[in-house]
Amino acid sequence: MGKILPNKQNNNSNSLSVAARRRQREREERYQTILKAAETLFSRDGYHQTSINQIAELAEVSVGTVYFYFKNKEDLLIQLLDEISYLLRKMVGAEFRKTEASLDGFMRAGKVFFSDFCRLHPEKVTIMYRESVGQSPLVSEHIKKIQDKIGSDIIDALERVAENTGQGFPGEKTAEIISTSILGIYDYIASKYLFSGDYAVDIDTVGDDAVNFLIGGIQHLCNLESNK
């Protein structure tokens, strides 16, 4: 995931010389090192308070090297958002697929957001739900595209559960409305409980309550039953 690196070869890596493969690997590692430095600083100090010079210093590269891989700081944020959203979709999707498209799988996938993604990757959560808010129109449009992809994943999962249980949706837009509601609730919970500074909050408990509420609504609306 992430953008194609400058001068990256399109040929199969097996056809490259040892030296060329090493250079390609070094470019990819440098790209990831810069991204990680930006993630650390954006989440700790804030996007607007972080400079390219600071990112270069933390990544232990020159400022010119940062600009070789990224057009500007905005480009860094956009690439970070792509990497983060890819990881989130991968984690949630893998959990859903474990249960062969059941409602329980849908529930477990929802809880993974809180128990695994939020708990294990707080810096990524901060970038996605705090530092990307209120940025330029370009960043806002990119966030919308990411939300559309995640929303489409949710709709596909709901349709697979409905098909697997032999149930349908009461309306043409029901799955889309459920998906939009889930995105809105998760966004609000992330903003309210993860960035409130209240360290007494148990994010797993918050996540369980939110997911159980959503699952209850889905069951009532679509007449879907859990396997439990």
Side-chain angles (χ1 to χ4, degrees), residues 6-227:
N7 301 327
K8 188 171 181 180
Q9 298 291 332
N10 293 322
N11 297 332
N12 189 292
S13 60
N14 292 331
S15 66
L16 299 176
S17 68
V18 172
R21 289 200 301 271
R22 183 181 67 251
R23 288 193 297 271
Q24 179 175 306
R25 183 173 64 252
E26 288 172 350
R27 287 196 297 270
E28 291 171 349
E29 290 173 352
R30 197 171 296 117
Y31 172 82
Q32 290 298 329
T33 298
I34 296 169
L35 267 187
K36 181 59 182 175
E39 178 183 294
T40 298
L41 292 170
F42 289 168
S43 62
R44 188 189 70 192
D45 302 332
Y47 172 78
H48 290 295
Q49 288 70 38
T50 299
S51 68
I52 290 291
N53 283 24
Q54 290 171 314
I55 294 169
E57 182 178 356
L58 185 59
E60 299 182 339
V61 300
S62 69
V63 170
T65 298
V66 176
Y67 283 116
F68 177 75
Y69 289 93
F70 303 94
K71 291 184 292 186
N72 48 39
K73 193 169 69 168
E74 183 181 63
D75 187 32
L76 256 168
L77 178 59
I78 287 173
Q79 297 306 320
L80 263 176
L81 289 169
D82 279 344
E83 296 259 336
I84 293 166
S85 64
Y86 174 76
L87 174 63
L88 172 59
R89 295 173 67 207
K90 180 179 178 182
M91 291 174 68
V92 172
E95 189 65 28
F96 176 69
R97 287 190 293 272
K98 287 180 182 178
T99 59
E100 299 181 350
S102 69
L103 189 59
D104 290 334
F106 193 84
M107 178 189 297
R108 288 170 53 178
K111 291 182 178 181
V112 159
F113 171 81
F114 298 99
S115 63
D116 291 4
F117 184 69
C118 290
R119 186 175 294 282
L120 299 178
H121 305 286
E123 292 180 339
K124 290 177 170 54
V125 175
T126 302
I127 299 295
M128 189 155 187
Y129 290 99
R130 191 186 73 188
E131 292 307 312
S132 65
V133 176
Q135 302 297 351
S136 69
L138 182 61
V139 174
S140 297
E141 180 63 26
H142 205 75
I143 283 290
K144 184 180 183 304
K145 290 179 181 178
I146 289 172
Q147 290 174 333
D148 287 346
K149 288 180 181 178
I150 297 174
S152 180
D153 289 345
I154 296 172
I155 291 171
D156 288 345
L158 286 167
E159 289 177 343
R160 289 182 61 189
V161 171
E163 181 180 1
N164 207 28
T165 58
Q167 299 292 332
F169 297 105
E172 182 181 346
K173 295 289 186 178
T174 300
E176 182 180 324
I177 292 168
I178 293 172
S179 173
T180 303
S181 300
I182 290 173
L183 287 173
I185 289 173
Y186 275 36
D187 184 274
Y188 183 78
I189 287 175
S191 300
K192 181 176 177 62
Y193 293 104
L194 296 177
F195 310 128
S196 65
D198 185 356
Y199 299 105
V201 171
D202 181 353
I203 195 60
D204 286 338
T205 300
V206 171
D208 285 348
D209 287 346
V211 173
N212 289 334
F213 170 77
L214 289 166
I215 292 297
I218 293 170
Q219 288 176 312
H220 177 75
L221 189 62
C222 304
N223 195 30
L224 299 176
E225 293 298 329
S226 170
N227 293 335

